[in-house]
Amino acid sequence: MALLALENLHLSFGGVAALAGVSLEINAGDFFAIIGPNGAGKTSIFNCISGIYAPARGRIVFDGRDITRLKPHQRAELRIARTFQNIALFRGMSVLDNVKIGRHVHLRSGVLACGLYYGRAAREEQAHRAIVEREIIDLLELQDIRHKIVGTLPYGQQKRVELARALALDPVLLLLDEPTAGMNAEETEDMVRFILYVARVKRLTVVMIEHDMGVVMDISDRVAVLDFGKKIAEGAPAQVQQDANVIKAYLGEDVEVA
Amino acid sequence: MSDQIVFLLQLVITGVAVGAVYSLMALGFVLIYKASTVVNFGPGELVLFGAYVAWATILNMKLHLAVALPLTLVVAILLGLVIERGVLRPLIGEPIISVIMVTFGFASVVRGVLNMTWGSDTRPFPALFSSQPFHLGPVPVSPVHLWSFVTVMVLLAAFSLFFKYSLIGTAMRATADNQQVAQSLGVSVKGVFALSWCIATVVSALGGIILGSVRGGVDFSLADYGLKVFPVVILGGLDSVAGVIVSGVIIGVLENLSGGYLDPIFGGGVKEVAPFVVLVLILMIRPYGLFGRKDVERV
């Protein structure tokens, strides 16, 4: 059974249909890429999965459970983590604080206990901090900058912090919205290396929106192509690459595919 | 030391003590504003509520202090929950002016209920601290001022640590920064709103208890102290916790000095007006406050 199934999602803004009946099935352990021209509805799919948008019609089933009506924070509690197309970090906070918030869904102590910071609550806070420091910060090589204020970091590092924050949630499903957008070749290579590494080490199911065709073809198991809110192709990268519809609608007639 | 200087120091010390209480109350106001951009137009009533409940539990029901004070804070938390769940949550998505007006309306209701329950007579408030002054050098200091100052500073330090280091505090800051992203990380935004209202009602109640104890009595004029929150947050910056801690003390000292030196000249009343003169001046020259972010709207 698929870990995540989108069934016939419809979403429109005013008269514009952002999603016109999109269905996808993503299996556990998959590295799934969604591609398509600007405005095809890729990010809208993510916003539906994480609960920011409510689809007008259709269902979202995660791990056998209908989550279509759940609130965004409840979906995060099911360990669905995401990054954003335009970096959405808490800019005034340190790297460590940003990543630490990813642990919020795992916090068991109540507000009062945390406020008074005694016994179990104190130990739990320390445990979360240790997890963040030991696993996430080290994994993504953020040790040197962990006390820096995020807003002061270069773009590539901010992208990495955002990935770290999503990982701190210890996700089952990780949604990456253009993780290498705006990066130079070297930064892209680093980022891809990190993503592949954590996906393997943490056995994540990943859904990635990406424009860089090289990246998509290299690392994804399956690719779905969207155009004007509809899925026009789906399959293995090589297969999609050859698809006449895709070449026509997305890549253009004469473009050489990387 | 000349009498002049002793007089000045006395004014400053009292000002610092009372100003610290303003800081505490303003902290609650700022939390609500940061989390939800709601301006609470009833800070005075929250102070009144705390003071009256404390009076009722200590003197009316004759509970021991160790029971009465926690009980007062629990009731304050309940008030916070009632305001957030019952009054504000149904208004999510409504224009901000409606939300602000409803805080005003709710404050009137609180005042009315207090009046109906306990009447408008001045009630004696137990002195929680000794009133026998001691001398700091040549300057007489009343323990009530010293202890209220110490209590407030401990509370402010505790809250600051909570916001800075605890996971929940970090989640509150995250929510203030970007609600949508905080939600995607599993933070319940409504939970944060509720928490900030509860903290506001608790610090206001503490403020009410301290002020009641400093003045030795509770009546509806206590609410005026709550109104001092406005000059404090305008001076400190609507969204700056550090800012209001500093500006609370500044306002406290300023009002005391203007009371001490200008009241005799103008025949009184300057003390009450001075903080609001500051409010107007700050709005004219630095509308985002001393420490506030520049893009804060004027409210």
Side-chain angles (χ1 to χ4, degrees), chain A residues 46-254:
Chain A
F46 272 21
N47 285 340
C48 286
I49 299 173
S50 56
I52 293 172
Y53 296 160
R57 269 198 290 157
R59 284 202 324 152
I60 301 163
V61 180
F62 177 72
D63 207 8
R65 179 176 171 192
D66 187 341
I67 63 165
T68 320
R69 299 274 160 253
L70 288 190
K71 303 220 160 61
H73 70 93
Q74 294 170 319
R75 301 182 198 212
E77 281 161 13
L78 297 174
R79 290 158 68 191
I80 300 175
R82 72 171 291 182
T83 65
F84 293 81
Q85 188 175 350
N86 307 310
I87 298 174
L89 290 165
F90 306 111
R91 295 178 55 84
M93 295 190 205
S94 71
V95 170
L96 204 55
D97 278 355
N98 266 279
V99 179
K100 216 168 66 175
I101 296 169
R103 298 302 301 171
H104 186 82
V105 296
H106 297 284
L107 190 66
R108 292 289 160 265
S109 310
V111 174
L112 209 56
C114 288
L116 299 174
Y117 200 74
Y118 74 94
R120 209 172 62 91
R123 283 195 298 278
E124 196 194 345
E125 291 259 358
Q126 285 153 12
H128 285 306
R129 206 188 160 90
I131 290 171
V132 166
E133 293 253 9
R134 197 177 57 236
E135 296 190 8
I136 314 295
I137 299 280
D138 280 6
L139 193 66
L140 292 184
E141 296 172 14
L142 297 168
Q143 302 93 328
D144 297 346
I145 55 167
R146 65 186 199 278
H147 293 300
K148 290 242 168 76
I149 297 300
V150 159
T152 65
L153 295 175
Y155 180 83
Q157 285 182 344
Q158 292 195 15
K159 280 283 206 190
R160 213 191 308 159
V161 174
E162 210 189 8
L163 177 64
R165 186 178 64 183
L167 289 176
L169 204 139
D170 198 10
V172 175
L173 175 66
L174 177 62
L175 309 172
L176 300 172
D177 198 344
E178 299 197 20
T180 69
M183 290 187 171
N184 62 33
E186 195 187 334
E187 287 173 327
T188 301
E189 200 175 301
D190 274 353
M191 193 66 182
V192 169
R193 185 166 55 84
F194 280 122
I195 292 171
L196 277 178
Y197 180 65
V198 295
R200 204 174 56 234
V201 171
K202 305 228 164 228
R203 299 184 182 187
L204 299 175
T205 306
V206 181
V207 183
M208 176 179 77
I209 295 170
E210 186 51 68
H211 272 302
D212 188 322
M213 293 309 287
V215 172
V216 171
M217 295 304 154
D218 271 358
I219 67 176
S220 41
D221 305 318
R222 290 181 72 75
V223 181
V225 188
L226 288 194
D227 195 21
F228 292 111
K230 288 203 169 82
K231 185 172 77 180
I232 59 169
E234 187 183 340
Q239 208 180 329
V240 167
Q241 235 170 338
Q242 306 304 325
D243 191 293
N245 275 336
V246 176
I247 295 170
K248 193 172 157 209
Y250 176 54
L251 300 172
E253 306 274 357
D254 302 324

Side-chain angles (χ1 to χ4, degrees), chain B residues 19-250:
Chain B
V21 182
Y22 295 164
S23 303
L24 185 65
M25 300 186 301
L27 173 73
F29 181 97
V30 167
L31 281 186
I32 293 170
Y33 181 79
K34 274 179 80 118
S36 57
T37 61
V38 170
V39 175
N40 173 22
F41 267 100
E45 280 71 15
L46 299 187
V47 174
L48 266 189
F49 183 83
Y52 267 97
V53 173
W55 165 79
T57 49
I58 299 170
L59 286 188
N60 215 10
M61 296 157 69
K62 305 216 181 328
L63 297 175
H64 189 268
L65 269 185
V67 180
L69 290 184
L71 186 63
T72 303
L73 298 187
V74 169
V75 175
I77 289 174
L78 290 180
L79 177 72
L81 288 177
V82 166
I83 296 176
E84 204 281 327
R85 304 245 154 161
V87 184
L88 292 174
R89 199 169 283 188
L91 284 179
I92 284 180
E94 299 294 326
I96 194 73
I97 186 71
S98 315
V99 182
I100 291 170
M101 291 318 288
V102 89
T103 65
F104 194 70
F106 189 81
S108 307
V109 172
V110 168
R111 188 184 275 256
V113 168
L114 290 176
N115 205 339
M116 275 157 44
T117 319
W118 289 307
S120 56
D121 300 339
T122 301
R123 307 288 183 166
F125 201 83
L128 302 178
F129 311 109
S130 132
S131 56
Q132 196 60 44
F134 63 92
H135 279 76
L136 196 74
V139 188
V141 179
S142 101
V144 127
H145 285 134
L146 177 70
W147 284 113
S148 70
F149 180 74
V150 170
T151 313
V152 169
M153 283 302 138
V154 168
L155 285 167
L156 287 176
F159 275 114
S160 305
L161 289 174
F162 173 73
F163 296 129
K164 186 142 178 50
Y165 293 109
S166 81
L167 255 177
I168 293 177
T170 313
M172 289 183 80
R173 283 188 289 143
T175 306
D177 189 332
N178 188 331
Q179 292 182 6
Q180 208 170 66
V181 177
Q183 274 185 311
S184 83
L185 291 160
V187 179
S188 161
V189 169
K190 286 173 185 167
V192 169
F193 291 178
L195 179 58
S196 47
W197 272 96
C198 289
I199 293 178
T201 49
V202 164
V203 293
S204 302
L206 287 166
I209 293 168
I210 292 171
L211 288 173
S213 157
V214 169
R215 301 191 338 154
V218 191
D219 58 36
F220 281 78
S221 67
L222 257 189
D224 299 345
Y225 286 89
L227 284 183
K228 303 283 167 61
V229 159
F230 290 111
V232 171
V233 296
I234 292 296
L235 179 63
L238 271 173
D239 59 349
S240 168
V241 172
V244 294
I245 293 177
V246 176
S247 64
V249 174
I250 295 177

